[in-house]
PDB file of all heavy atoms in Angstrom:
ATOM      1  N   ASP A   5       2.988 -10.421  12.610  1.00  0.00           N
ATOM      2  CA  ASP A   5       2.718  -9.597  11.365  1.00  0.00           C
ATOM      3  C   ASP A   5       1.292  -9.696  10.978  1.00  0.00           C
ATOM      4  O   ASP A   5       0.753  -8.717  10.476  1.00  0.00           O
ATOM      5  CB  ASP A   5       3.724 -10.168  10.264  1.00  0.00           C
ATOM      6  CG  ASP A   5       3.560  -9.308   8.921  1.00  0.00           C
ATOM      7  OD1 ASP A   5       3.885  -8.104   8.970  1.00  0.00           O
ATOM      8  OD2 ASP A   5       2.999  -9.816   8.015  1.00  0.00           O
ATOM      9  N   ASP A   6       0.699 -10.916  11.110  1.00  0.00           N
ATOM     10  CA  ASP A   6      -0.713 -10.997  10.806  1.00  0.00           C
ATOM     11  C   ASP A   6      -1.549 -10.054  11.623  1.00  0.00           C
ATOM     12  O   ASP A   6      -2.450  -9.307  11.128  1.00  0.00           O
ATOM     13  CB  ASP A   6      -1.193 -12.436  10.984  1.00  0.00           C
ATOM     14  CG  ASP A   6      -0.722 -13.484  10.005  1.00  0.00           C
ATOM     15  OD1 ASP A   6      -0.554 -13.095   8.791  1.00  0.00           O
ATOM     16  OD2 ASP A   6      -0.427 -14.517  10.386  1.00  0.00           O
ATOM     17  N   ILE A   7      -1.315 -10.034  12.930  1.00  0.00           N
ATOM     18  CA  ILE A   7      -2.043  -9.138  13.818  1.00  0.00           C
ATOM     19  C   ILE A   7      -1.731  -7.703  13.489  1.00  0.00           C
ATOM     20  O   ILE A   7      -2.682  -6.880  13.484  1.00  0.00           O
ATOM     21  CB  ILE A   7      -1.622  -9.457  15.273  1.00  0.00           C
ATOM     22  CG1 ILE A   7      -1.938 -10.895  15.684  1.00  0.00           C
ATOM     23  CG2 ILE A   7      -2.451  -8.462  16.221  1.00  0.00           C
ATOM     24  CD1 ILE A   7      -3.372 -11.342  15.304  1.00  0.00           C
ATOM     25  N   ALA A   8      -0.514  -7.385  13.204  1.00  0.00           N
ATOM     26  CA  ALA A   8      -0.216  -5.979  12.844  1.00  0.00           C
ATOM     27  C   ALA A   8      -0.937  -5.531  11.551  1.00  0.00           C
ATOM     28  O   ALA A   8      -1.381  -4.433  11.482  1.00  0.00           O
ATOM     29  CB  ALA A   8       1.319  -5.843  12.589  1.00  0.00           C
ATOM     30  N   ARG A   9      -1.077  -6.443  10.613  1.00  0.00           N
ATOM     31  CA  ARG A   9      -1.779  -6.101   9.333  1.00  0.00           C
ATOM     32  C   ARG A   9      -3.323  -5.973   9.616  1.00  0.00           C
ATOM     33  O   ARG A   9      -4.008  -5.166   9.006  1.00  0.00           O
ATOM     34  CB  ARG A   9      -1.504  -7.158   8.283  1.00  0.00           C
ATOM     35  CG  ARG A   9      -0.170  -7.122   7.701  1.00  0.00           C
ATOM     36  CD  ARG A   9       0.187  -8.210   6.773  1.00  0.00           C
ATOM     37  NE  ARG A   9       1.566  -8.041   6.216  1.00  0.00           N
ATOM     38  CZ  ARG A   9       1.870  -7.478   5.143  1.00  0.00           C
ATOM     39  NH1 ARG A   9       0.904  -6.935   4.264  1.00  0.00           N
ATOM     40  NH2 ARG A   9       3.094  -7.412   4.685  1.00  0.00           N
ATOM     41  N   ALA A  10      -3.833  -6.716  10.510  1.00  0.00           N
ATOM     42  CA  ALA A  10      -5.257  -6.566  10.865  1.00  0.00           C
ATOM     43  C   ALA A  10      -5.495  -5.215  11.521  1.00  0.00           C
ATOM     44  O   ALA A  10      -6.427  -4.427  11.239  1.00  0.00           O
ATOM     45  CB  ALA A  10      -5.781  -7.654  11.841  1.00  0.00           C
ATOM     46  N   LEU A  11      -4.563  -4.913  12.465  1.00  0.00           N
ATOM     47  CA  LEU A  11      -4.621  -3.524  13.073  1.00  0.00           C
ATOM     48  C   LEU A  11      -4.458  -2.426  12.092  1.00  0.00           C
ATOM     49  O   LEU A  11      -5.201  -1.388  12.163  1.00  0.00           O
ATOM     50  CB  LEU A  11      -3.597  -3.408  14.231  1.00  0.00           C
ATOM     51  CG  LEU A  11      -3.820  -4.234  15.449  1.00  0.00           C
ATOM     52  CD1 LEU A  11      -2.510  -4.320  16.326  1.00  0.00           C
ATOM     53  CD2 LEU A  11      -4.958  -3.796  16.277  1.00  0.00           C
ATOM     54  N   ASP A  12      -3.585  -2.595  11.201  1.00  0.00           N
ATOM     55  CA  ASP A  12      -3.324  -1.614  10.095  1.00  0.00           C
ATOM     56  C   ASP A  12      -4.606  -1.422   9.249  1.00  0.00           C
ATOM     57  O   ASP A  12      -4.998  -0.302   8.851  1.00  0.00           O
ATOM     58  CB  ASP A  12      -2.164  -2.015   9.247  1.00  0.00           C
ATOM     59  CG  ASP A  12      -1.996  -1.058   8.023  1.00  0.00           C
ATOM     60  OD1 ASP A  12      -1.553   0.078   8.274  1.00  0.00           O
ATOM     61  OD2 ASP A  12      -2.316  -1.495   6.944  1.00  0.00           O
ATOM     62  N   ALA A  13      -5.257  -2.574   8.943  1.00  0.00           N
ATOM     63  CA  ALA A  13      -6.560  -2.481   8.161  1.00  0.00           C
ATOM     64  C   ALA A  13      -7.552  -1.800   8.979  1.00  0.00           C
ATOM     65  O   ALA A  13      -8.308  -0.946   8.399  1.00  0.00           O
ATOM     66  CB  ALA A  13      -7.028  -3.924   7.800  1.00  0.00           C
ATOM     67  N   ALA A  14      -7.728  -2.024  10.263  1.00  0.00           N
ATOM     68  CA  ALA A  14      -8.717  -1.373  11.078  1.00  0.00           C
ATOM     69  C   ALA A  14      -8.407   0.111  11.157  1.00  0.00           C
ATOM     70  O   ALA A  14      -9.347   1.017  11.066  1.00  0.00           O
ATOM     71  CB  ALA A  14      -8.704  -2.015  12.506  1.00  0.00           C
ATOM     72  N   GLU A  15      -7.174   0.503  11.232  1.00  0.00           N
ATOM     73  CA  GLU A  15      -6.819   1.922  11.256  1.00  0.00           C
ATOM     74  C   GLU A  15      -7.117   2.618   9.893  1.00  0.00           C
ATOM     75  O   GLU A  15      -7.539   3.703   9.926  1.00  0.00           O
ATOM     76  CB  GLU A  15      -5.310   2.026  11.610  1.00  0.00           C
ATOM     77  CG  GLU A  15      -4.864   3.432  11.721  1.00  0.00           C
ATOM     78  CD  GLU A  15      -3.323   3.567  12.083  1.00  0.00           C
ATOM     79  OE1 GLU A  15      -2.677   2.589  11.860  1.00  0.00           O
ATOM     80  OE2 GLU A  15      -2.928   4.565  12.665  1.00  0.00           O
ATOM     81  N   SER A  16      -6.867   1.859   8.784  1.00  0.00           N
ATOM     82  CA  SER A  16      -7.013   2.508   7.443  1.00  0.00           C
ATOM     83  C   SER A  16      -8.502   2.870   7.158  1.00  0.00           C
ATOM     84  O   SER A  16      -8.754   3.708   6.411  1.00  0.00           O
ATOM     85  CB  SER A  16      -6.517   1.486   6.422  1.00  0.00           C
ATOM     86  OG  SER A  16      -7.420   0.370   6.149  1.00  0.00           O
ATOM     87  N   VAL A  17      -9.441   2.253   7.831  1.00  0.00           N
ATOM     88  CA  VAL A  17     -10.813   2.510   7.625  1.00  0.00           C
ATOM     89  C   VAL A  17     -11.454   3.312   8.689  1.00  0.00           C
ATOM     90  O   VAL A  17     -12.674   3.454   8.796  1.00  0.00           O
ATOM     91  CB  VAL A  17     -11.699   1.234   7.405  1.00  0.00           C
ATOM     92  CG1 VAL A  17     -11.359   0.530   6.097  1.00  0.00           C
ATOM     93  CG2 VAL A  17     -11.487   0.189   8.502  1.00  0.00           C
ATOM     94  N   GLY A  18     -10.622   4.017   9.478  1.00  0.00           N
ATOM     95  CA  GLY A  18     -11.128   5.003  10.505  1.00  0.00           C
ATOM     96  C   GLY A  18     -11.673   6.169   9.679  1.00  0.00           C
ATOM     97  O   GLY A  18     -11.059   6.654   8.730  1.00  0.00           O
ATOM     98  N   ASP A  19     -12.762   6.740  10.212  1.00  0.00           N
ATOM     99  CA  ASP A  19     -13.361   8.000   9.559  1.00  0.00           C
ATOM    100  C   ASP A  19     -12.371   9.103   9.403  1.00  0.00           C
ATOM    101  O   ASP A  19     -12.272   9.822   8.473  1.00  0.00           O
ATOM    102  CB  ASP A  19     -14.591   8.382  10.355  1.00  0.00           C
ATOM    103  CG  ASP A  19     -15.766   7.459  10.182  1.00  0.00           C
ATOM    104  OD1 ASP A  19     -15.861   6.718   9.220  1.00  0.00           O
ATOM    105  OD2 ASP A  19     -16.564   7.474  11.140  1.00  0.00           O
ATOM    106  N   ASP A  20     -11.632   9.343  10.506  1.00  0.00           N
ATOM    107  CA  ASP A  20     -10.676  10.494  10.438  1.00  0.00           C
ATOM    108  C   ASP A  20      -9.637  10.350   9.398  1.00  0.00           C
ATOM    109  O   ASP A  20      -9.275  11.245   8.669  1.00  0.00           O
ATOM    110  CB  ASP A  20     -10.030  10.755  11.847  1.00  0.00           C
ATOM    111  CG  ASP A  20      -9.371   9.574  12.369  1.00  0.00           C
ATOM    112  OD1 ASP A  20      -9.642   8.341  11.987  1.00  0.00           O
ATOM    113  OD2 ASP A  20      -8.535   9.647  13.357  1.00  0.00           O
ATOM    114  N   ARG A  21      -9.106   9.126   9.294  1.00  0.00           N
ATOM    115  CA  ARG A  21      -8.088   8.793   8.245  1.00  0.00           C
ATOM    116  C   ARG A  21      -8.642   8.911   6.873  1.00  0.00           C
ATOM    117  O   ARG A  21      -7.952   9.558   6.057  1.00  0.00           O
ATOM    118  CB  ARG A  21      -7.467   7.458   8.502  1.00  0.00           C
ATOM    119  CG  ARG A  21      -6.405   7.098   7.481  1.00  0.00           C
ATOM    120  CD  ARG A  21      -5.553   5.983   7.969  1.00  0.00           C
ATOM    121  NE  ARG A  21      -4.769   5.411   6.841  1.00  0.00           N
ATOM    122  CZ  ARG A  21      -3.884   4.436   6.953  1.00  0.00           C
ATOM    123  NH1 ARG A  21      -3.596   3.955   8.263  1.00  0.00           N
ATOM    124  NH2 ARG A  21      -3.215   3.940   5.981  1.00  0.00           N
ATOM    125  N   ILE A  22      -9.883   8.487   6.684  1.00  0.00           N
ATOM    126  CA  ILE A  22     -10.444   8.578   5.308  1.00  0.00           C
ATOM    127  C   ILE A  22     -10.731  10.069   5.001  1.00  0.00           C
ATOM    128  O   ILE A  22     -10.345  10.513   3.868  1.00  0.00           O
ATOM    129  CB  ILE A  22     -11.749   7.834   5.238  1.00  0.00           C
ATOM    130  CG1 ILE A  22     -11.572   6.317   5.372  1.00  0.00           C
ATOM    131  CG2 ILE A  22     -12.652   8.155   3.983  1.00  0.00           C
ATOM    132  CD1 ILE A  22     -12.882   5.567   5.572  1.00  0.00           C
ATOM    133  N   GLN A  23     -11.182  10.852   5.946  1.00  0.00           N
ATOM    134  CA  GLN A  23     -11.439  12.212   5.638  1.00  0.00           C
ATOM    135  C   GLN A  23     -10.123  12.971   5.420  1.00  0.00           C
ATOM    136  O   GLN A  23     -10.081  13.837   4.492  1.00  0.00           O
ATOM    137  CB  GLN A  23     -12.232  12.766   6.792  1.00  0.00           C
ATOM    138  CG  GLN A  23     -13.686  12.429   6.933  1.00  0.00           C
ATOM    139  CD  GLN A  23     -14.360  13.047   8.115  1.00  0.00           C
ATOM    140  OE1 GLN A  23     -13.771  13.343   9.172  1.00  0.00           O
ATOM    141  NE2 GLN A  23     -15.712  13.253   7.999  1.00  0.00           N
ATOM    142  N   LYS A  24      -9.170  12.758   6.237  1.00  0.00           N
ATOM    143  CA  LYS A  24      -7.968  13.486   6.043  1.00  0.00           C
ATOM    144  C   LYS A  24      -7.188  13.133   4.801  1.00  0.00           C
ATOM    145  O   LYS A  24      -6.641  14.070   4.161  1.00  0.00           O
ATOM    146  CB  LYS A  24      -6.987  13.248   7.353  1.00  0.00           C
ATOM    147  CG  LYS A  24      -5.909  14.212   7.338  1.00  0.00           C
ATOM    148  CD  LYS A  24      -5.237  14.218   8.727  1.00  0.00           C
ATOM    149  CE  LYS A  24      -4.183  15.265   8.858  1.00  0.00           C
ATOM    150  NZ  LYS A  24      -3.612  15.284  10.222  1.00  0.00           N
ATOM    151  N   ARG A  25      -7.278  11.926   4.440  1.00  0.00           N
ATOM    152  CA  ARG A  25      -6.660  11.508   3.200  1.00  0.00           C
ATOM    153  C   ARG A  25      -7.334  12.169   1.962  1.00  0.00           C
ATOM    154  O   ARG A  25      -6.678  12.450   0.989  1.00  0.00           O
ATOM    155  CB  ARG A  25      -6.742   9.963   3.033  1.00  0.00           C
ATOM    156  CG  ARG A  25      -5.920   9.389   1.902  1.00  0.00           C
ATOM    157  CD  ARG A  25      -6.000   7.856   1.919  1.00  0.00           C
ATOM    158  NE  ARG A  25      -5.250   7.246   0.876  1.00  0.00           N
ATOM    159  CZ  ARG A  25      -3.980   6.868   0.977  1.00  0.00           C
ATOM    160  NH1 ARG A  25      -3.302   7.050   2.103  1.00  0.00           N
ATOM    161  NH2 ARG A  25      -3.359   6.314  -0.099  1.00  0.00           N
ATOM    162  N   ALA A  26      -8.689  12.333   2.065  1.00  0.00           N
ATOM    163  CA  ALA A  26      -9.483  12.908   0.958  1.00  0.00           C
ATOM    164  C   ALA A  26      -9.448  14.387   0.933  1.00  0.00           C
ATOM    165  O   ALA A  26      -9.429  15.039  -0.130  1.00  0.00           O
ATOM    166  CB  ALA A  26     -10.861  12.402   1.013  1.00  0.00           C
ATOM    167  N   THR A  27      -9.456  15.144   2.144  1.00  0.00           N
ATOM    168  CA  THR A  27      -9.622  16.539   2.173  1.00  0.00           C
ATOM    169  C   THR A  27      -8.525  17.247   2.998  1.00  0.00           C
ATOM    170  O   THR A  27      -8.486  18.526   3.015  1.00  0.00           O
ATOM    171  CB  THR A  27     -11.035  16.880   2.742  1.00  0.00           C
ATOM    172  OG1 THR A  27     -11.026  16.554   4.185  1.00  0.00           O
ATOM    173  CG2 THR A  27     -12.083  16.155   2.052  1.00  0.00           C
ATOM    174  N   GLY A  28      -7.801  16.527   3.771  1.00  0.00           N
ATOM    175  CA  GLY A  28      -6.763  17.211   4.595  1.00  0.00           C
ATOM    176  C   GLY A  28      -7.343  17.590   5.920  1.00  0.00           C
ATOM    177  O   GLY A  28      -6.554  18.206   6.804  1.00  0.00           O
ATOM    178  N   LYS A  29      -8.581  17.365   6.246  1.00  0.00           N
ATOM    179  CA  LYS A  29      -9.187  17.721   7.558  1.00  0.00           C
ATOM    180  C   LYS A  29     -10.192  16.688   7.944  1.00  0.00           C
ATOM    181  O   LYS A  29     -10.584  15.872   7.215  1.00  0.00           O
ATOM    182  CB  LYS A  29      -9.838  19.114   7.534  1.00  0.00           C
ATOM    183  CG  LYS A  29     -10.912  19.226   6.454  1.00  0.00           C
ATOM    184  CD  LYS A  29     -11.363  20.688   6.354  1.00  0.00           C
ATOM    185  CE  LYS A  29     -12.460  20.891   5.265  1.00  0.00           C
ATOM    186  NZ  LYS A  29     -12.840  22.221   5.191  1.00  0.00           N
ATOM    187  N   THR A  30     -10.598  16.731   9.232  1.00  0.00           N
ATOM    188  CA  THR A  30     -11.630  15.767   9.674  1.00  0.00           C
ATOM    189  C   THR A  30     -12.875  16.535  10.219  1.00  0.00           C
ATOM    190  O   THR A  30     -12.773  17.622  10.694  1.00  0.00           O
ATOM    191  CB  THR A  30     -11.079  14.927  10.806  1.00  0.00           C
ATOM    192  OG1 THR A  30     -10.700  15.740  12.031  1.00  0.00           O
ATOM    193  CG2 THR A  30      -9.860  14.209  10.380  1.00  0.00           C
TER     194      THR A  30
END
C-alpha cells in the first residue's frame, strides 16, 4: 500500500493529469 500511494502521488503530479483536471485537455 505504501508503494501504491507513492505511485499514485507520482501520477497525480503528471502534467497531463494537472492540465486535464483544470481544463479538460492536455
Side-chain angles (χ1 to χ4, degrees):
D5 182 65
D6 288 323
I7 303 304
R9 286 173 181 266
L11 289 167
D12 174 73
E15 184 178 23
S16 75
V17 289
D19 288 334
D20 55 339
R21 178 161 164 176
I22 291 172
Q23 289 179 330
K24 194 163 186 178
R25 190 176 180 91
T27 69
K29 57 185 179 181
T30 64

